[in-house]
Coordinates of all heavy atoms in Angstrom, one line a residue:
D69 N 2.2 -2.8 6.9 CA 2.7 -3.6 8.0 C 1.9 -4.9 7.8 O 0.8 -5.0 7.2 CB 2.4 -3.0 9.4 CG 3.1 -3.8 10.5 OD1 3.9 -4.6 10.2 OD2 2.7 -3.5 11.7
Q70 N 2.4 -6.0 8.4 CA 1.7 -7.3 8.4 C 1.1 -7.7 9.7 O 1.7 -7.5 10.7 CB 2.7 -8.4 7.9 CG 3.3 -8.2 6.5 CD 4.2 -9.3 6.1 OE1 4.8 -10.0 7.0 NE2 4.4 -9.5 4.8
P71 N -0.1 -8.2 9.7 CA -0.7 -8.6 10.9 C -0.1 -9.9 11.5 O 0.5 -10.7 10.8 CB -2.2 -8.9 10.5 CG -2.1 -9.3 9.1 CD -1.0 -8.5 8.5
T72 N -0.2 -10.0 12.8 CA 0.2 -11.2 13.5 C -0.8 -12.4 13.1 O -0.3 -13.5 12.9 CB 0.2 -11.0 15.0 OG1 1.1 -9.9 15.3 CG2 0.7 -12.3 15.7
S73 N -2.0 -12.0 13.0 CA -3.0 -13.0 12.5 C -4.2 -12.2 11.9 O -4.3 -11.0 12.2 CB -3.5 -14.0 13.6 OG -4.1 -13.3 14.6
G74 N -5.1 -12.9 11.2 CA -6.2 -12.2 10.6 C -5.8 -11.8 9.1 O -4.7 -12.1 8.7
S75 N -6.8 -11.2 8.5 CA -6.6 -10.9 7.0 C -7.0 -9.5 6.7 O -7.9 -8.9 7.3 CB -7.3 -11.9 6.1 OG -8.7 -11.8 6.3
V76 N -6.4 -8.9 5.6 CA -6.8 -7.6 5.1 C -7.1 -7.9 3.6 O -6.3 -8.5 2.9 CB -5.8 -6.6 5.3 CG1 -6.1 -5.3 4.5 CG2 -5.5 -6.3 6.7
V77 N -8.2 -7.3 3.1 CA -8.5 -7.5 1.7 C -8.7 -6.1 1.1 O -9.5 -5.3 1.7 CB -9.8 -8.3 1.5 CG1 -10.2 -8.3 0.0 CG2 -9.6 -9.7 2.0
I78 N -8.1 -5.7 0.0 CA -8.2 -4.5 -0.7 C -8.7 -4.8 -2.1 O -8.0 -5.6 -2.9 CB -7.0 -3.6 -0.8 CG1 -6.5 -3.2 0.6 CG2 -7.2 -2.4 -1.7 CD1 -5.2 -2.4 0.6
D79 N -9.9 -4.3 -2.5 CA -10.4 -4.5 -3.9 C -10.4 -6.0 -4.3 O -9.9 -6.4 -5.3 CB -9.6 -3.7 -4.9 CG -10.4 -3.4 -6.1 OD1 -11.6 -3.7 -6.1 OD2 -9.8 -3.0 -7.1
Q80 N -10.8 -6.8 -3.3 CA -11.0 -8.3 -3.5 C -9.6 -9.1 -3.6 O -9.6 -10.2 -4.0 CB -11.8 -8.6 -4.8 CG -13.2 -8.0 -4.8 CD -14.0 -8.3 -6.1 OE1 -13.7 -9.2 -6.8 NE2 -15.0 -7.4 -6.3
Q81 N -8.6 -8.4 -3.2 CA -7.3 -9.1 -3.1 C -6.8 -9.2 -1.7 O -6.6 -8.2 -1.0 CB -6.2 -8.4 -4.0 CG -6.5 -8.3 -5.5 CD -5.4 -7.8 -6.2 OE1 -4.3 -8.5 -6.3 NE2 -5.5 -6.6 -6.8
E82 N -6.6 -10.4 -1.2 CA -6.1 -10.6 0.2 C -4.6 -10.3 0.2 O -3.8 -10.9 -0.6 CB -6.4 -12.0 0.7 CG -6.0 -12.2 2.1 CD -6.6 -13.5 2.7 OE1 -7.6 -14.0 2.2 OE2 -6.0 -13.9 3.7
L83 N -4.2 -9.4 1.0 CA -2.8 -8.9 1.0 C -1.8 -10.1 1.4 O -0.7 -10.1 0.8 CB -2.6 -7.8 2.0 CG -3.5 -6.5 1.8 CD1 -3.0 -5.3 2.6 CD2 -3.6 -6.2 0.3
A84 N -2.2 -11.0 2.2 CA -1.3 -12.1 2.6 C -0.9 -13.0 1.5 O 0.1 -13.7 1.5 CB -1.9 -12.9 3.8
N85 N -1.8 -13.0 0.4 CA -1.5 -13.8 -0.7 C -0.6 -13.2 -1.8 O -0.3 -13.8 -2.8 CB -2.8 -14.2 -1.4 CG -3.7 -15.1 -0.5 OD1 -3.2 -15.7 0.4 ND2 -5.0 -15.1 -0.8
L86 N -0.2 -11.9 -1.5 CA 0.7 -11.2 -2.5 C 2.1 -11.2 -2.1 O 2.5 -11.1 -0.9 CB 0.2 -9.8 -2.6 CG -1.3 -9.5 -2.9 CD1 -1.6 -8.1 -2.9 CD2 -1.7 -10.2 -4.3
D87 N 3.0 -11.4 -3.1 CA 4.4 -11.2 -2.8 C 4.8 -9.8 -2.8 O 3.9 -8.9 -3.0 CB 5.3 -12.0 -3.8 CG 5.1 -11.5 -5.3 OD1 4.7 -10.3 -5.4 OD2 5.4 -12.3 -6.2
D88 N 6.0 -9.4 -2.5 CA 6.4 -8.0 -2.3 C 6.1 -7.2 -3.5 O 5.6 -6.1 -3.4 CB 7.9 -7.9 -1.9 CG 8.1 -8.4 -0.5 OD1 7.2 -8.5 0.3 OD2 9.3 -8.6 -0.1
G89 N 6.4 -7.8 -4.7 CA 6.2 -7.0 -5.9 C 4.7 -6.8 -6.2 O 4.4 -5.6 -6.6
D90 N 3.9 -7.8 -6.0 CA 2.5 -7.6 -6.2 C 1.9 -6.7 -5.2 O 1.0 -5.9 -5.5 CB 1.7 -9.0 -6.1 CG 2.1 -9.9 -7.3 OD1 2.4 -9.3 -8.4 OD2 1.9 -11.1 -7.2
L91 N 2.3 -6.7 -4.0 CA 1.8 -5.8 -2.9 C 2.2 -4.4 -3.2 O 1.4 -3.5 -3.1 CB 2.4 -6.2 -1.6 CG 2.0 -5.4 -0.4 CD1 0.4 -5.4 -0.2 CD2 2.6 -5.9 0.9
T92 N 3.4 -4.2 -3.7 CA 3.9 -2.8 -4.1 C 3.0 -2.3 -5.2 O 2.6 -1.1 -5.2 CB 5.3 -2.8 -4.6 OG1 6.2 -3.2 -3.4 CG2 5.8 -1.5 -5.0
Q93 N 2.7 -3.2 -6.2 CA 1.9 -2.7 -7.3 C 0.5 -2.4 -6.9 O -0.1 -1.5 -7.4 CB 1.9 -3.8 -8.4 CG 1.1 -3.4 -9.7 CD 1.2 -4.4 -10.8 OE1 2.1 -5.3 -10.8 NE2 0.3 -4.3 -11.8
L94 N -0.1 -3.3 -6.0 CA -1.4 -3.0 -5.5 C -1.5 -1.7 -4.8 O -2.4 -0.9 -5.0 CB -1.9 -4.1 -4.6 CG -3.3 -3.9 -4.0 CD1 -4.2 -5.0 -4.4 CD2 -3.2 -3.8 -2.5
R95 N -0.5 -1.4 -3.9 CA -0.5 -0.1 -3.2 C -0.4 1.0 -4.2 O -1.0 2.1 -4.0 CB 0.6 -0.1 -2.2 CG 0.4 -0.9 -0.9 CD 1.3 -0.4 0.2 NE 2.7 -0.5 -0.2 CZ 3.5 -1.4 0.2 NH1 3.1 -2.4 1.0 NH2 4.8 -1.4 -0.1
R96 N 0.4 0.9 -5.2 CA 0.6 1.9 -6.2 C -0.6 2.2 -7.0 O -1.0 3.4 -7.3 CB 1.8 1.5 -7.1 CG 2.2 2.6 -8.1 CD 3.3 2.0 -9.0 NE 2.8 0.9 -9.9 CZ 3.6 0.0 -10.4 NH1 4.9 0.0 -10.1 NH2 3.1 -0.9 -11.2
D97 N -1.4 1.1 -7.4 CA -2.5 1.3 -8.2 C -3.8 1.5 -7.5 O -4.7 2.2 -8.0 CB -2.7 0.0 -9.1 CG -1.5 -0.2 -10.1 OD1 -0.8 0.8 -10.3 OD2 -1.3 -1.3 -10.6
K98 N -3.9 1.0 -6.3 CA -5.2 1.0 -5.6 C -5.3 1.9 -4.4 O -6.4 2.1 -3.9 CB -5.6 -0.5 -5.2 CG -5.6 -1.5 -6.3 CD -6.8 -1.3 -7.2 CE -6.9 -2.4 -8.3 NZ -8.1 -2.2 -9.2
V99 N -4.2 2.4 -3.9 CA -4.1 3.1 -2.6 C -3.5 4.4 -2.8 O -2.5 4.6 -3.5 CB -3.3 2.2 -1.6 CG1 -3.2 3.0 -0.3 CG2 -4.0 0.9 -1.4
G100 N -4.1 5.4 -2.1 CA -3.5 6.8 -2.0 C -3.2 7.1 -0.6 O -3.9 6.6 0.3
F101 N -2.2 7.8 -0.3 CA -1.8 8.1 1.1 C -1.7 9.7 1.3 O -1.2 10.4 0.4 CB -0.4 7.5 1.4 CG -0.3 6.1 1.3 CD1 0.1 5.4 0.2 CD2 -0.8 5.3 2.4 CE1 0.2 4.1 0.1 CE2 -0.7 3.9 2.3 CZ -0.2 3.3 1.2
I102 N -2.2 10.1 2.4 CA -2.0 11.5 2.9 C -1.5 11.4 4.3 O -2.1 10.8 5.2 CB -3.3 12.3 2.8 CG1 -4.0 12.2 1.5 CG2 -3.1 13.7 3.2 CD1 -5.4 12.7 1.4
F103 N -0.3 12.1 4.5 CA 0.3 12.0 5.8 C 0.3 13.4 6.5 O 0.2 14.4 5.8 CB 1.8 11.6 5.6 CG 2.0 10.3 5.0 CD1 2.2 10.2 3.6 CD2 1.9 9.1 5.7 CE1 2.4 8.9 3.0 CE2 2.0 7.9 5.1 CZ 2.3 7.8 3.8
Q104 N 0.4 13.4 7.8 CA 0.4 14.6 8.5 C 1.6 15.5 8.1 O 1.4 16.8 8.1 CB 0.6 14.3 10.0 CG 0.6 15.5 10.9 CD 0.6 15.1 12.4 OE1 0.3 14.0 12.8 NE2 0.9 16.0 13.3
S105 N 2.7 15.0 7.7 CA 3.9 15.7 7.4 C 4.0 16.1 5.9 O 5.1 16.5 5.5 CB 5.1 15.0 7.9 OG 5.2 13.7 7.3
F106 N 3.0 15.9 5.1 CA 2.9 16.2 3.7 C 3.7 15.3 2.8 O 3.2 14.8 1.8 CB 3.3 17.7 3.4 CG 2.8 18.7 4.3 CD1 3.5 19.9 4.6 CD2 1.5 18.6 4.9 CE1 3.0 20.8 5.5 CE2 1.0 19.6 5.8 CZ 1.8 20.7 6.1
N107 N 5.0 15.1 3.2 CA 5.9 14.2 2.4 C 6.0 14.6 1.0 O 6.0 13.8 0.1 CB 5.4 12.7 2.5 CG 5.8 12.1 3.9 OD1 6.3 12.8 4.8 ND2 5.5 10.9 4.0
L108 N 6.2 15.9 0.7 CA 6.4 16.4 -0.7 C 7.9 16.4 -0.9 O 8.7 16.7 0.0 CB 5.8 17.8 -0.9 CG 4.3 17.9 -0.6 CD1 3.9 19.3 -0.9 CD2 3.5 16.9 -1.4
L109 N 8.3 16.2 -2.2 CA 9.7 16.3 -2.5 C 10.0 17.8 -2.8 O 9.4 18.4 -3.6 CB 10.0 15.5 -3.8 CG 10.0 14.0 -3.6 CD1 10.5 13.3 -4.9 CD2 10.9 13.5 -2.4
P110 N 11.0 18.3 -2.0 CA 11.3 19.8 -2.1 C 11.8 20.3 -3.4 O 11.6 21.4 -3.7 CB 12.3 20.0 -1.0 CG 13.0 18.6 -0.8 CD 11.9 17.6 -1.1
V111 N 12.4 19.4 -4.2 CA 13.0 19.8 -5.5 C 11.9 19.8 -6.6 O 12.2 20.3 -7.7 CB 14.2 19.0 -5.9 CG1 15.3 19.1 -4.9 CG2 13.8 17.5 -6.1
L112 N 10.7 19.3 -6.4 CA 9.7 19.3 -7.4 C 8.7 20.4 -7.2 O 8.4 20.8 -6.1 CB 9.0 17.9 -7.4 CG 9.8 16.7 -7.6 CD1 9.0 15.4 -7.6 CD2 10.6 16.8 -8.9

């Protein structure tokens, strides 16, 4: 999600400076997620 104001930095990269593609890549490479509902694919 995007803040109304203020900034978030992950691994020295300010998220507001990233376009959608770069943000997707940063999340893919730098961030892991664990959710309450597991979110596993049932066919795998």
Side-chain angles (χ1 to χ4, degrees):
D69 189 14
Q70 294 182 339
T72 303
S73 62
S75 66
V76 174
V77 176
I78 295 178
D79 202 14
Q80 302 181 21
Q81 296 190 68
E82 185 165 339
L83 301 193
N85 294 338
L86 304 178
D87 61 26
D88 287 346
D90 289 337
L91 181 58
T92 297
Q93 182 173 343
L94 177 121
R95 284 200 303 258
R96 186 180 67 203
D97 295 342
K98 303 289 187 180
V99 176
F101 298 96
I102 305 166
F103 301 97
Q104 180 176 345
S105 56
F106 315 148
N107 284 6
L108 303 181
L109 289 186
V111 297
L112 300 183

